[in-house]
Amino acid sequence: MHDLKTIRENAADFDAALARRGVEPVAANLLALDEENRSIATKLQEGQARRNEASKAIGKAKGQGDEETAQALMAEVSELKTSLPQLEEQQRVVSGKLRDALAALPNVPNADVPEGADEDDNVEVERWGTPRSFDFKPLEHSDIGPPLGLEFETAAAMSGARFAFLRGQMARLQRAIGQYMLDQQTTVNGFQECAPPVLVRDEAMFGTGQLPKFSEDSFQTTNGHWLIPTAEVSLTNSVSGQILDEAQLPIRLTALTPCFRSEAGSAGKDTKGLIRQHQFEKVEMVAIVHPDHSDAEHLRMTEAAESILKALELPYRKMLLCTGDMGATARKTYDLEVWLPGQDTYREISSVSTCGDYQARRMNARFRPEGETKGTQFLHTLNGSGLAVGRTLVAVLENYQQEDGSVIIPEALKSYMGGIEKLEPAN
């Protein structure tokens, strides 16, 4: 959500910033709705004040025997009782239009975000690790996995496309990856472990920006709850509607949860394998910080995600997303793309974003600066994957595959695998 005061003071700058994201000028329409809303509010306040004043004057006039004045005042009060509800309805409609118009707009990108239309315009910041040289043709995970316990047909029979059934050593490896990531983010990187709900209400989805614009990308239950597309929704909303003390900041939260996405906007993309599933697991990181610290926190969170890839010795590159490829709530985003030898390309495995006060305004989440007794400021929020478990499983299968179809367990995961050092194809 955007600050109307800022738009009033810098309408041209606001339009110019959103134009970098391909948004047509909107400030004039927002300000017209804002002016109409404030005008109605003023009339409403004046009418309510006059009604109260006239009501008091009726008794005084009657007490003085001035029936003519009393009757005139009663007629005025009667008229106000009719007109004021009409003004209240007008304000409800206009304020609703203004709120909806603001809610539909994406966040303003940081000045250092490159302008571009799509992923082709993202900027590579750095690379880490050297892709392994194979003395055989490396396979994709969808070919490596089935003999090791990765079953797509079993899942399709009960759930349809974009689901997987993991069995035995493959299920153990997925669990090991998730537990390892969660342990690293809590014990090494300073995030507090949480176990949040995976079913949330409309307000929570609105607060983090999934609603109203991206409802088709998520699953909704018959009683109106939403299955979270990421634990970002649950973790960030843990401060919704609150006023924190500055001393409580920063708040760093993490959770390993199932995530659910309808993938409505990706028809035909990555239909093979684990890359784009309706249900998957992810370790999510969320930070809630003082506005002065959000840029530094963004770098810290990105490094926390990178630390997992380095520990697993998975080559990756860091990309600064352009204006056309960022999520709607983000001001700036780094994507980490892991090397997949079977596909002979880098694929996204983590996305770390700073959102400024965009989500905090939607959630009305604020803090009270030290030394202040009345004034409050909106918090800044950040979120990122630390990492996507299924995609990390893909990367391990492809980077650690052997010619005989087995997969070596990365050193960092061996203590989580109960003595298993290699996944062996079933006889």
Side-chain angles (χ1 to χ4, degrees):
M1 195 74 82
H2 296 283
D3 180 16
L4 272 171
K5 181 181 178 182
T6 300
I7 299 172
R8 292 187 206 112
E9 296 173 350
N10 305 283
D13 291 344
F14 181 74
D15 277 342
L18 286 184
R20 298 182 64 218
R21 300 196 73 158
V23 178
E24 296 294 326
V26 293
N29 178 58
L30 292 173
L31 294 178
L33 286 171
D34 178 43
E35 179 61 32
E36 184 179 1
N37 187 49
R38 288 193 292 160
S39 175
I40 294 171
T42 299
K43 292 177 182 178
L44 191 56
Q45 290 172 357
E46 291 173 346
Q48 289 168 340
R50 178 54 189 163
R51 179 190 59 193
N52 295 338
E53 180 184 334
S55 296
K56 292 178 181 178
I58 291 171
K60 184 178 180 180
K62 286 188 174 183
Q64 294 174 345
D66 189 351
E67 191 61 30
E68 182 179 350
T69 299
Q71 289 298 321
L73 289 169
M74 290 172 66
E76 183 180 4
V77 169
S78 179
E79 183 180 346
L80 286 168
K81 285 183 177 179
T82 300
S83 62
L84 288 177
Q86 294 173 346
L87 282 173
E88 289 172 349
E89 177 61 17
Q90 288 178 33
Q91 186 180 41
R92 187 190 67 78
V93 171
V94 174
S95 63
K97 287 181 179 179
L98 178 59
R99 182 182 61 252
D100 291 347
L102 285 168
L105 294 173
N107 205 345
V108 171
N110 277 4
D112 60 346
V113 172
E115 193 164 339
D118 52 37
E119 61 184 15
D120 293 332
D121 296 315
N122 295 338
V123 176
E124 183 175 322
V125 177
E126 62 178 327
R127 294 192 183 198
W128 183 90
T130 302
R132 171 186 164 194
S133 295
F134 289 82
D135 54 10
F136 61 93
K137 181 175 173 55
L139 301 177
E140 291 191 42
H141 74 282
S142 53
D143 297 317
I144 302 167
L148 303 174
L150 177 57
E151 302 177 10
F152 296 108
E153 292 80 5
T154 303
M158 67 179 82
S159 303
R162 296 189 189 273
F163 290 93
F165 190 103
L166 280 64
R167 191 188 298 271
Q169 58 185 345
M170 184 65 70
R172 179 68 179 263
L173 179 56
Q174 174 171 274
R175 175 161 61 91
I177 290 171
Q179 292 300 318
Y180 169 72
M181 290 176 180
L182 193 60
D183 285 349
Q184 288 296 109
Q185 300 304 357
T186 53
T187 63
V188 177
N189 294 323
F191 289 84
Q192 181 184 50
E193 183 175 351
C194 303
V198 298
L199 289 171
V200 296
R201 295 173 175 164
D202 289 358
E203 294 83 1
M205 293 285 278
F206 177 85
T208 46
Q210 281 76 24
L211 294 182
K213 193 172 183 180
F214 303 103
S215 60
E216 290 186 356
D217 293 331
S218 297
F219 290 107
Q220 189 174 26
T221 66
T222 54
N223 69 347
H225 282 93
W226 295 87
L227 289 163
I228 58 169
T230 162
E232 170 202 347
V233 178
S234 306
L235 297 178
T236 309
N237 274 280
S238 66
V239 297
S240 178
Q242 297 183 33
I243 299 177
L244 306 178
D245 291 327
E246 184 177 343
Q248 295 175 258
L249 305 177
I251 296 173
R252 299 184 177 112
L253 309 174
T254 189
L256 169 60
T257 67
C259 305
F260 306 88
R261 295 182 185 175
S262 70
E263 298 293 350
S266 61
K269 291 183 181 179
D270 297 313
T271 55
K272 179 182 178 183
L274 290 172
I275 293 294
R276 201 177 296 273
Q277 296 269 288
H278 288 312
Q279 175 186 328
F280 57 96
E281 290 186 350
K282 184 152 68 81
V283 173
E284 184 72 8
M285 306 176 293
V286 161
I288 298 151
V289 303
H290 189 290
D292 293 346
H293 302 153
S294 58
D295 289 344
E297 189 70 19
H298 190 206
L299 294 176
R300 184 187 187 280
M301 287 181 65
T302 304
E303 290 171 358
E306 290 179 84
S307 70
I308 304 296
L309 292 169
K310 289 177 179 178
L312 295 176
E313 300 184 77
L314 295 172
Y316 69 92
R317 64 180 184 177
K318 180 164 73 173
M319 307 293 291
L320 175 58
L321 299 197
C322 71
T323 54
D325 199 33
M326 282 198 308
T329 63
R331 294 190 65 186
K332 183 177 180 178
T333 298
Y334 287 116
D335 268 11
L336 303 181
E337 297 181 348
V338 68
W339 174 251
L340 298 182
Q343 296 188 27
D344 193 32
T345 191
Y346 288 93
R347 297 298 301 267
E348 179 201 336
I349 196 167
S350 174
S351 189
V352 186
S353 298
T354 177
C355 302
D357 62 5
Y358 182 89
Q359 292 178 325
R361 288 183 180 277
R362 298 170 78 98
M363 298 186 302
N364 193 26
R366 296 168 288 162
F367 75 100
R368 182 174 289 105
E370 288 184 359
E372 295 287 338
T373 57
K374 295 182 180 179
T376 62
Q377 296 181 36
F378 284 102
L379 296 158
H380 277 202
T381 64
L382 303 94
N383 62 80
S385 309
L387 306 163
V389 175
R391 294 193 178 197
T392 306
L393 178 62
V394 168
V396 168
L397 293 178
E398 293 199 12
N399 282 277
Y400 285 88
Q401 63 179 293
Q402 305 300 304
E403 190 171 11
D404 63 359
S406 64
V407 173
I408 301 295
I409 303 299
E411 193 65 35
L413 297 178
K414 286 183 179 179
S415 63
Y416 291 82
M417 288 296 292
I420 300 173
E421 295 194 354
K422 179 192 292 188
L423 301 192
E424 302 275 6
N427 293 328

